[in-house]
Amino acid sequence: MLWSDPENKTPKFLREAQAMMRRSGVILALAMVVLMLVVGGR
């Protein structure tokens, strides 16, 4: 690696987008579990 190589850092908006995707994935998974419990309980 040369001293002139650019730093391997992701842009701020990309990190924020990845964090938002992770959060939405967790929320979606929880919603699916709740939906299965509600539908399965009938």
Side-chain angles (χ1 to χ4, degrees), residues 5-39:
D5 284 348
E7 288 188 23
N8 191 13
K9 279 203 291 191
T10 55
K12 187 173 189 296
F13 74 91
L14 197 58
R15 285 195 304 264
E16 289 174 354
Q18 285 175 337
M20 193 178 356
M21 290 295 283
R22 263 196 300 273
R23 280 194 298 267
S24 62
V26 169
I27 291 171
L28 189 64
L30 287 174
M32 290 290 284
V33 170
V34 169
L35 188 66
M36 286 201 184
L37 289 173
V38 168
V39 171

